[in-house]
Amino acid sequence: MTDARPIGVFDSGLGGLTVLAELVRALPGESFIYLGDTARVPYGARSDRTIQRYSREAADWLLARDIKLFVIACNTATAYAGDMLQRELSVPVIGVIEPGVQALLSRSRNRRVGVIGTRATIRSDVYARRIRERDADIQVFSKACPLFVPLVEEGWIDKKITRLVVQEYLSELAREDVDTVVLGCTHYPLIKKTILSEFPELSLVDSSEETARAVAARIQSEGLAADGEAGAVRIYLTDLTRQMSDLESFLSGLSIESLEEVELHAG
C-alpha cells in the first residue's frame, strides 16, 4: 500500500527550508509542499493567541491541498501551537521540538545541556520543560541568540562578526561545562560549522535532521510511504518580493518544481 499525497511543511518564514532540505534527503521518493508565512514573519513578536491563529490558517491552507502529514518546521509555532494542532488536525502532526529533545537526552554524557533559540522560543521555556519531564535531574542552560537569524539571512555564515557573536553567546554555556546543545531555531543549522569552529568540544543537535528522522519513522509506521519514485517539491510564500534576496542560502541543493506567492485567509 502506498500514499502519493504530499507532506506539508510549514514555517513562519524561510528558516524551515533547512528542515525541508533534510526531509528531501531522508525521503527522496516523497512530494512536499512548503508554506512560509514570510508576510508576517517573525512570529516571535506576536502574542500566543496570534501565533496559534496564524498557524491554524497555515494548517488549513495545507490541508486543502490534501497533505498526508503536517510538519511544523518552526520552533516558535511548535512551542505555542503544536499541541493545539496535534489535537485538532485530521492528519499526523510533527513539530521540531520533540525530536530535538530526544536526541539531546540521548547524546549528553554529563547531563548538562544547552538550548539556544530565538527570544520567543527561549521565553516559552518549552525545551527546558520537556527535557525535565524526561529527566528531572538534568541541568538545562537556555540562551537566546537573536542576532543569529539576521546574520544568516544576510548570508554572513562564516564572517568575522558571526564568529564574534557565536563566541559572545555561547561562551556562557561553555563556562557551565555544557556538553550538548540543541539548535532551537531552524536558521541555526546554517551556521553549525561556524559554531563548531569556535566550540569544537560541543555536540550539536540539529533539530532539522532529527525532525526528518522522526517524519521518516512516522511515514513508515503509519503506512503513508509513497511508491519510491522521485517526488516533487513545491514552495509557497506569503510574500515573495521582500524575501527573494534571502532564498539562495536556504535553497542550496534543493530541486524546486515551483515557487509561488499565496495569500492566507482566516478559516
Side-chain angles (χ1 to χ4, degrees):
M1 181 178 176
T2 61
D3 191 333
R5 291 179 297 164
I7 296 169
V9 183
F10 158 64
D11 182 43
S12 59
L14 299 179
L17 290 170
T18 60
V19 178
L20 177 63
E22 294 298 336
L23 286 166
V24 171
R25 277 190 276 272
L27 296 162
E30 299 291 341
S31 294
F32 297 91
I33 299 177
Y34 179 92
L35 175 62
D37 193 7
T38 48
R40 302 189 291 198
V41 71
Y43 278 17
R46 315 290 183 177
S47 68
D48 299 6
R49 187 172 179 179
T50 298
I51 294 168
Q52 291 169 357
R53 176 166 61 85
Y54 287 177
S55 299
R56 185 59 207 243
E57 289 170 10
D60 288 343
W61 189 92
L62 284 165
L63 286 171
R65 278 129 193 99
D66 195 28
I67 61 170
K68 61 185 176 184
L69 186 142
F70 183 74
V71 180
I72 312 174
C74 172
N75 282 269
T76 300
T78 302
Y80 292 98
D83 291 343
M84 175 194 75
L85 294 174
Q86 285 180 341
R87 290 193 305 269
E88 295 181 1
L89 298 195
S90 59
V91 299
V93 176
I94 294 179
V96 290
I97 292 175
E98 194 64 31
V101 166
Q102 292 178 2
L104 187 74
L105 293 173
S106 68
R107 292 189 199 176
S108 178
R109 301 174 302 280
N110 67 2
R111 300 172 76 197
R112 297 174 69 83
V113 301
V115 178
I116 60 174
T118 64
R119 286 195 179 100
T121 297
I122 298 303
R123 185 179 68 244
S124 75
D125 204 37
V126 63
Y127 273 101
R129 283 189 285 105
R130 294 192 181 180
I131 290 166
R132 293 188 183 111
E133 285 171 3
R134 288 155 181 77
D135 186 343
D137 296 324
I138 201 165
Q139 292 184 277
V140 184
F141 301 88
S142 300
K143 181 68 176 178
C145 303
L147 289 178
F148 282 175
V149 170
L151 286 169
V152 167
E153 292 190 345
E154 193 66 32
W156 291 359
I157 304 302
D158 193 29
K159 296 274 191 179
K160 181 179 179 180
I161 187 173
T162 307
R163 294 193 294 273
L164 289 171
V165 172
V166 165
Q167 291 171 8
E168 179 67 26
Y169 281 151
L170 299 191
S171 58
E172 179 182 329
L173 299 184
R175 288 194 297 269
E176 295 290 352
D177 196 29
V178 164
D179 73 344
T180 309
V181 174
V182 64
L183 304 177
C185 173
T186 50
H187 282 69
Y188 295 1
L190 292 172
I191 57 169
K192 185 162 55 173
K193 289 182 180 179
T194 305
I195 293 173
L196 288 175
S197 72
E198 301 301 317
F199 297 93
E201 71 282 1
L202 288 180
S203 174
L204 299 183
V205 174
D206 184 340
S207 293
S208 301
E209 295 175 356
E210 301 304 327
T211 300
R213 291 190 183 99
V215 171
R218 188 69 175 271
I219 287 289
Q220 291 300 320
S221 67
E222 298 275 346
L224 296 173
D227 61 10
E229 297 180 1
V233 178
R234 288 172 284 164
I235 294 177
Y236 298 90
L237 304 177
T238 54
D239 181 5
L240 263 178
T241 55
R242 198 176 62 187
Q243 301 292 333
M244 287 303 291
S245 61
D246 300 332
L247 277 171
E248 186 175 348
S249 296
F250 292 97
L251 295 180
S252 177
L254 283 175
S255 179
I256 309 302
E257 181 177 281
S258 62
L259 174 63
E260 299 178 34
E261 183 172 309
V262 296
E263 185 174 346
L264 298 183
H265 300 281

